[in-house]
Amino acid sequence: MSLPLEESLVEFFKRTTASAAIIKTFARAKEPLKFDALLEGVGFHVGSRIPAYALEGVLRNSLRLLKSSGWVEQSENEFQLTDLGQELAGRIAP
């Protein structure tokens, strides 16, 4: 049995620790976030699954991927979900 592409992508994001934590952080905040606030929120979601010394690098890499995929956009020094990102947040964030 095969999942449609859309469902497969949603499942992928649910299981990708850093990306899911970013999406969930934005969903909770419901507003654009600066990098430091995003780092704090992601740290809350991932707990000890990502060591503190690696969290900033992981966040930067995940943000880069989310931006290039059209899920997140950056304006000056803040990040926010695009419409597509908000749709994803509705599917993965309780």
Side-chain angles (χ1 to χ4, degrees), residues 8-29:
S8 179
L9 283 170
V10 170
E11 285 304 311
F12 170 78
F13 275 100
K14 281 183 182 179
R15 299 179 196 302
T16 305
T17 304
S19 296
I22 290 170
I23 300 295
K24 289 175 182 177
T25 299
F26 279 123
R28 255 181 127 173

Side-chain angles (χ1 to χ4, degrees), residues 30-44:
K30 298 180 181 171
E31 64 183 6
L33 296 171
K34 292 184 177 183
F35 185 82
D36 289 341
L38 191 54
L39 183 63
E40 183 179 319
V42 169
F44 170 79

Side-chain angles (χ1 to χ4, degrees), residues 12-90:
F12 170 78
F13 275 100
K14 281 183 182 179
R15 299 179 196 302
T16 305
T17 304
S19 296
I22 290 170
I23 300 295
K24 289 175 182 177
T25 299
F26 279 123
R28 255 181 127 173
K30 298 180 181 171
E31 64 183 6
L33 296 171
K34 292 184 177 183
F35 185 82
D36 289 341
L38 191 54
L39 183 63
E40 183 179 319
V42 169
F44 170 79
H45 284 289
V46 299
S48 63
R49 290 177 285 170
I50 297 175
Y53 67 84
L55 187 58
E56 186 173 331
V58 168
L59 178 58
R60 287 188 190 282
N61 286 333
S62 292
L63 269 176
R64 200 171 295 122
L65 290 171
L66 290 170
K67 284 174 21 184
S68 68
S69 301
W71 304 94
V72 171
E73 61 189 3
Q74 182 179 3
S75 59
E76 298 201 19
N77 62 348
E78 291 184 322
F79 300 88
Q80 65 183 13
L81 292 176
T82 61
D83 290 342
L84 187 60
Q86 290 175 9
E87 186 178 336
L88 177 63

